[in-house]
Structure formats: structure tokens, C-alpha cells
Amino acid sequence: MLTIQFIRDNRDTVIERLKIKNFKQPELIDRIISRDDERRSLQVQTNGLQAELNQLSKEIGILFKKGEKDKANEVKNRTTVIKNELETFERELQEATEELKEMLVQVPNLPHPSVPEGNSEADNRIIREGGIMPNLHENAIPHWELGTKYNLIDFDLGVKITGGGFPVFRGKGAKLQRALITYFLDQNTGAGYEELLPPLMVNEASGFGTGQLPDKEGQMYHVTGDNLYLIPTSEIPVTNIYRDVILKAADLPIKNTAYTPCFRREAGSYGKDVRGLNRVHQFDKVEIVQIQHPSASYNALEEMVNHVEQLVINLGLPYRIVQLCGGDLSFTSALTYDFEVYAAAQKKWLEVSSVSNFESYQANRLKLRYREPEEKRPQLAHTLNGSALALPRIVAAILENNQTPEGIMVPEVLHPYTGFDFI
RNA sequence: GGAGGAAUGGCAGAGUGGUCGAAUGCGGCGGUCUUGAAAACCGUUGUCCGCGCGAGUGGACCGGGGGUUCGAAUCCCUCUUCCUCCGCCA
């Protein structure tokens, strides 16, 4: 979330920039500022009464020690009055603080100045395109049919044992998954990212820290018995490692990578674009996360984009990089680049990575800070993350684009990992 | 799952109702000394929210939340986590 201080100091800018994000309640900004005014005044009054009470309590202690019991009791009577008064102020102060936070949490991150205006995908800006479009033979088929034909993916089995959107990979299909995961992790660690293997379930505090809670609750599987959430992305456990942490400026940047399965309910997305691996409830993803100094975060974002681009290039997939417009940008992001690869049989662009700079928005929720060597006060760090990469759609594109009448060619970089070059 | 014990500042560790944000040690930072370093000595060293032009100053925080009390690190309730033992188990 944005800090209250920032909102107070930049009211007009905040309102103006949030327009690009289609923020629907600009009046909330003024409500926040006036509620904060109230909060401050309540705090002044509360603190004053508390100071008085503290002073009297000390006096009582001293009087009792001296044995002046009567005098002590007299002072005690005075405290009763203050306590009653204080109770009201404390309650109101607490209410104001809580309401303020509830309102702050509803304000999305400000988009970066370069973010184009727009309401939907159609307004996203294509930054770069690359790779070569494949020429498929006449009888080319989409990946869900290839998966069945070559016994790589069994969608029906997944339905049987769990439900729709939980495919079973088998044989060379399973091995291809493992190869991609290992390949991505190797490339990421080679680029200086420390490999992590985090928990797949997180608590509420973690969900709040990265911005999934309280609003996007419906997107996550909730383990009600223990009040835990299955992660929709390893961004949550990895970034939350640094929750409530004050780093030294010299510790920055921190670069982590993690492979995890991801779980998404995808409520309300039935119908279009859900065939095969295009949209599933459980999938594998390798993520990269950076904790950055604010002055370096946009360079880091470019670096991450270049890194992810190289992965896609190495796999030989036609791709494009788009910058999300204001309306398509997520609640917490300031700037996001999406990677899409072309799946030639279904003739569709599939999103395989989303690389974002959250600036200090998550950091403020997380209380993730760093300190400059000579500075007393810690500053909020910047957080960034991106998929490197999400597997199912990569697999879909590889299967579809590399199919020949004789079988499917495995990208060369994967051969050491798969142990086979043809399916 | 059952029975006990514990949680204090960066770390270790005192503190069981009163001027305690908290002894002491270590670590960190600054200084003295030294050609330099070490040692020794001296000083300093948490976070957050306010008020004040400023020098300053008020409040909160001893795992989280609630309670008792004029006053809580200290007493009570509750949750979480860790340790020991028993049971179960990959």
C-alpha cells in the first residue's frame, strides 16, 4: 500500500495517476486524508491523557513507598476520572487507525509514468517481438490432442482423481516438465539468483504482505482447518521471507529463484481459453524475485525482462513482450511486462511470464526496509518479481510449434535435461 | 494427539507489580592511544506513531491478542511458535 505520508504530500498526483488505473473511487483519497487528520488529533489528546496518567501513577508509587497512604489514595481518585476519559479516546483512536488502514489497503499502487492509458489487453503496448513463426504441416493439431496422441498428458485422469484443470503428466510429458524446471533453475542461478524451495502454503500475514489478501481471497485455495492458503505463485512465500526485515543497503539487491507448483481457483474463468494447458488449477512455475534499492529497481526490471527473454529465445519460441496498460495492470504493480509465446496450432498468443516492479507498495505492507550506512531511519525497499517461466503454456507452445508428421522435436537446450530429443 | 517447560533489544542473558525501553556481556558505530593494526580505555548504539520552525518533546512496543491494577516484561485468559517426554507416522 501507499504510505499515508506519501498520500498527504502528493494528493493531486495520486488522484491524477490513479485515473490511468481506472481507480473507481477518487474521493477515497480525501476521505483518507481527513480521517488521518482526525487520527492525529485523537492521538495528541490520547497521548496527553496517557502522559498525565503515567505521571500520577509514578507519584502514587512514590507516596506508597513513603508510607503516605492517604495522599496516595487521593491521587488514585484523580486517576479514575482520567481513565474514564482516556478509555473513550483510546477506543476512538484505535477505530480511526483501523479504518484508515482499511481505506489505505483499497488504494492501488500508482502506475509508472510510462504506463499507457487503456482499459483492456487491446491497449497494451507491444515492446518487442522475436523468434520465428513456425510453418506447421497440414494436419497439425493443438497440444491437448498431441498430449493424448503421444501419451504425454492425461486430462481425464486428472478429472477422475481431482477435477478439471488438474492434468496428469506422464512418460516423456512428465520428463519434459522436470527438464524445463531444472533448465530454468539452472539458468536463473547462473544469473545470480539464489535457489529456494519454499512452503506451498502460506498464512494470512503472508497473503496480506504481497497483496493477495484481503481482496483476492477467492483466487486462492483456502485450507480452512488450519487457515492456510495454497500459493497461487511462489512470489508469496519468497517475498514474505523479507517481511519485517531491515536490511543493510549493502545487502541489496537480493535475488532469489524458486520452483513451486502453483494453485489457482480461477473462479469465473470457465468457458473461453481454458482448453488443455491454457488455464489450469495446478501448474508448475519457476519464479525470480528481487529486493532492490529504489534507485536501481527499474534497471533491475529491464535486467529481468532481458533474462526472461533469453529463456524464451533459447527455447526457440516466437514471442512478444507487451507493456500492460493502466487498466490491465494489477492492483499492486507499478509497471508490468508480459511475455507471450505463440502457440501455432491454436493460433493464439499465450502469456507465459509477467515481470513487475511493485516499487515500495508491497514493501510497505511487508515492512521490508533497508538502511543507508549513515542514515538513522530505514527506508522502504523495492520488490520485483517475474515468472522464469510458467510451464504449462510453454509446454503447449513447444508441443504445437515443434510437431512434425513423425513426432515432436524437443528444443536443443533441453536435450541434456530430457535425455531424448524427439517425442 | 497427550503431558510438561519456554519465548526479553543484532546475539547471549538478568529482571516476578512501582521513576524499567529494560542490568550485564558480546557484537556494531565514534573517539583516545598507535607509523598502521590489535589490545586497552571512553562514549554511543532498537522500532513505530505524534507534537514542535527548532533545540527538543509526548506516546506505544519485552512472541500476538485480551484482561486485572492507580501502575504489568512481571499476575490471569487465549492464540502462535520453540524445546523435552509419550503416542502415531513419511
Side-chain angles (χ1 to χ4, degrees), chain A residues 149-193:
Chain A
K149 180 176 176 184
Y150 294 101
N151 203 23
L152 307 172
I153 311 165
D154 194 325
F155 294 97
D156 296 333
L157 258 190
V159 171
K160 174 187 177 184
I161 58 181
T162 306
F166 290 91
V168 173
F169 293 89
R170 61 194 319 164
K172 284 182 172 174
K175 209 156 189 177
L176 180 60
Q177 292 281 319
R178 185 153 57 87
L180 281 164
I181 292 164
T182 314
Y183 173 66
F184 292 150
L185 283 172
D186 284 354
Q187 293 294 305
N188 296 346
T189 53
Y193 292 85

Side-chain angles (χ1 to χ4, degrees), chain A residues 287-302:
Chain A
E287 187 82 359
I288 49 177
V289 170
Q290 290 204 23
I291 314 297
Q292 271 285 0
H293 192 282
S295 67
S297 71
Y298 278 97
N299 283 337
L301 182 67
E302 296 308 316

Side-chain angles (χ1 to χ4, degrees), chain A residues 365-377:
Chain A
R365 286 174 159 239
L366 292 159
K367 300 284 166 278
L368 194 191
R369 290 162 294 173
Y370 71 96
R371 199 195 315 269
E372 300 286 359
E374 301 301 323
E375 297 285 322
K376 186 168 162 56
R377 294 181 73 82

Side-chain angles (χ1 to χ4, degrees), chain A residues 70-114:
Chain A
D70 292 345
K71 258 191 173 169
N73 282 325
E74 193 185 304
V75 178
K76 246 195 216 186
N77 289 336
R78 280 200 275 152
T79 64
T80 317
V81 182
I82 298 171
K83 271 188 83 173
N84 283 336
E85 206 179 343
L86 188 57
E87 212 175 305
T88 312
F89 278 112
E90 279 181 336
R91 198 186 56 243
E92 283 178 13
L93 177 61
Q94 199 187 339
E95 280 169 11
T97 307
E98 280 167 13
E99 270 175 41
L100 192 62
K101 186 168 181 188
E102 274 170 33
M103 289 194 282
L104 279 172
V105 159
Q106 289 175 46
V107 180
N109 198 4
L110 296 192
H112 185 268
S114 75

Side-chain angles (χ1 to χ4, degrees), chain A residues 187-203:
Chain A
Q187 293 294 305
N188 296 346
T189 53
Y193 292 85
E194 184 196 2
E195 183 171 343
L196 300 172
L197 190 60
L200 305 183
M201 290 193 234
V202 292
N203 56 29

